[in-house]
Amino acid sequence: MPSAPIDSYHRRIEYLRLSVTDRCNLRCTYCVPEKGVPKLEHHDILRYEEILRLAGLAAKMGISKIRITGGEPLVRKDILYLCERISRLNGVKSLSITTNGVLLPEFAQGLLQAGIHRINVSLDTLERGKFERITRRDSFQEVWRGITAAHAAGIAPIKLNAVVMQGVNDDEIEDLARLTFAYPFHVRFIEFMPFQENGRQDPFLSGDEIIDRLKRIGPLVPARSKDSNGPAQHYRFSGALGLIGIISPISHHFCPACNRLRVTADGKLRTCLFSSDETDLRELLRQGALDDEIIAAIREAIEKKPEKHELDSAVFRRCINRPMVAIGG
Ligand code: SAM
């Protein structure tokens, strides 16, 4: 297999996040605007054979880590079939999924059998009522059952992602972190990112402030995670089974280490979460482009991958042309 492509800033691009749907069974306030988002038409969404072709071409280019995301990937019909096919592609070394967990009770075992050994589950709170306020759905119990089902099935690591919002769930930072004493989970705290229409009352709390809160539990020891070369800084509490991760896209740029590409459910390649530049791969696929032509388009986009995002500049608000649910987290 070739080694991963290198962009203009010497970053090795080896990670592809594939969004398989824009549909979601939750309506998280930080992700989906209150009035909802226009749904993609069925024919706008990449078909499985198109997704498989892109995943195969990416793997052929040396992009060896693939994550399935959405919307909510588990709501897409026959998702296990897609996972299994991707996991068997030559050159795919790691396949993972990001899910809200609502359907995990029924999917945990199947995911493992389909070649998914690691999952990320969004979990912003441990309180049922607050879960409903954040996600606009009363599904906490299913999600918790799903997480424990995935654990029982042997999926590891299980990473729990909490978007920290001041005045909403920051009072639970310590309770969420304490899960690492009972389970070998990675509990990761993510800085709130202001996307289109979710940022009117900005509840941002920085990674450093989150760490200060965590220190109330006890000393936090910097740790290394063999399961991640991603953007999280890792820590561990003495005696804990799991890890703590802090993901600070706003306060600490991790752009210099960014190794990722995203493909949206409608087949647009994005090289930066915060740039609206997109390459229309669906158009190429449907026009009958040859493999080499598609690979050339991906290479060209990689060469133009921005050096860093513009979150701290006035350009930022203009460059967010889709909410997170329509990009693929
Ligand atoms: N439905 C799946 C889920 O809930 O995990 C996958 C898609 S969701 C868009 C993926 C992740 O995006 C969520 O875990 C959440 O952490 C992140 N996300 C969405 N909006 C965000 C925001 N405004 N700030 C920070 N993270 C956000």
Side-chain angles (χ1 to χ4, degrees):
M1 275 293 151
S3 54
I6 309 280
D7 76 0
S8 309
Y9 302 97
H10 313 292
R11 293 171 296 198
R12 183 176 292 279
I13 309 301
E14 58 192 357
Y15 183 17
L16 174 63
R17 297 170 77 102
L18 279 172
S19 174
V20 296
T21 179
D22 63 331
R23 309 290 150 104
C24 189
N25 43 0
L26 298 181
R27 291 283 177 277
C28 301
T29 50
Y30 52 79
C31 188
V32 186
E34 194 163 8
K35 61 176 173 12
V37 280
K39 296 258 182 308
L40 291 171
E41 297 289 336
H42 187 66
H43 62 265
D44 287 331
I45 295 180
L46 290 187
R47 297 188 293 271
Y48 277 171
E49 58 272 33
E50 294 171 325
I51 295 177
L52 274 168
R53 184 162 172 220
L54 287 182
L57 292 176
K60 196 170 159 191
M61 295 171 70
I63 297 168
S64 57
K65 285 178 63 180
I66 296 186
R67 173 173 298 278
I68 308 292
T69 182
E72 170 50 39
L74 297 184
V75 301
R76 182 145 177 193
K77 195 161 171 267
D78 296 330
I79 186 68
L80 294 179
Y81 163 81
L82 179 74
C83 294
E84 197 200 336
R85 293 289 305 271
I86 294 181
S87 75
R88 286 204 261 121
L89 287 172
N90 245 344
V92 173
K93 293 191 194 136
S94 154
L95 177 65
S96 53
I97 197 163
T98 297
T99 170
N100 60 33
V102 174
L103 295 174
L104 259 185
E106 60 189 276
F107 276 97
Q109 194 68 47
L111 284 171
L112 198 64
Q113 280 158 3
I116 297 217
H117 299 275
R118 38 197 306 135
I119 58 171
N120 288 10
V121 185
S122 298
L123 185 71
D124 304 314
T125 175
L126 297 169
E127 295 171 22
R128 182 173 166 184
K130 196 185 289 180
F131 184 98
E132 186 171 0
R133 287 195 293 284
I134 294 175
T135 66
R136 304 185 181 112
R137 297 289 184 273
D138 179 19
S139 303
F140 173 76
Q141 283 162 321
E142 286 92 321
V143 173
W144 186 252
R145 257 197 302 125
I147 292 167
T148 50
H151 182 45
I155 294 181
I158 295 175
K159 300 184 183 178
L160 305 181
N161 291 335
V163 176
V164 180
M165 293 162 285
Q166 206 156 181
V168 179
N169 64 348
D170 61 320
D171 57 330
E172 285 189 80
I173 292 174
E174 292 161 64
D175 288 344
L176 285 162
R178 282 198 187 90
L179 289 174
T180 64
F181 289 102
Y183 302 94
F185 301 155
H186 296 198
V187 175
R188 305 172 351 139
F189 297 97
I190 304 177
E191 285 178 351
F192 170 88
M193 297 185 278
F195 281 97
Q196 208 185 42
E197 295 180 43
N198 75 350
R200 269 169 289 163
Q201 292 169 305
D202 196 335
F204 178 77
L205 195 71
S206 74
D208 289 345
E209 290 168 294
I210 296 168
I211 289 176
D212 284 344
R213 303 277 187 95
L214 290 169
K215 284 180 179 162
R216 293 178 189 165
I217 297 178
L220 262 184
V221 184
R224 286 176 67 83
S225 164
K226 65 175 169 37
D227 296 307
S228 169
N229 60 353
Q233 300 159 250
H234 292 100
Y235 301 91
R236 184 189 288 282
F237 290 109
S238 168
L241 303 172
L243 290 181
I244 299 290
I246 306 288
I247 303 181
S248 327
I250 311 286
S251 65
H252 295 104
H253 265 222
F254 38 72
C255 308
C258 182
N259 61 355
R260 52 188 65 179
L261 301 177
R262 291 183 152 80
V263 173
T264 62
D266 54 346
K268 308 291 191 291
L269 173 67
R270 293 174 72 112
T271 57
C272 172
L273 181 56
F274 298 107
S275 163
S276 50
D277 287 345
E278 296 181 342
T279 301
D280 194 346
L281 297 180
R282 186 188 67 195
E283 185 72 6
L284 283 173
L285 288 164
R286 294 188 183 172
Q287 277 173 353
L290 300 172
D291 286 357
D292 284 349
E293 290 169 327
I294 297 174
I295 287 178
I298 298 173
R299 281 199 195 286
E300 192 183 326
I302 290 175
E303 270 164 33
K304 292 190 196 143
K305 182 172 161 78
E307 182 180 12
K308 58 186 170 67
H309 67 61
E310 303 284 354
L311 265 179
D312 33 14
S313 84
V315 182
F316 167 63
R317 297 255 166 207
R318 275 185 285 129
C319 79
I320 303 302
N321 64 337
R322 296 175 185 242
M324 191 69 155
V325 69
I327 299 174

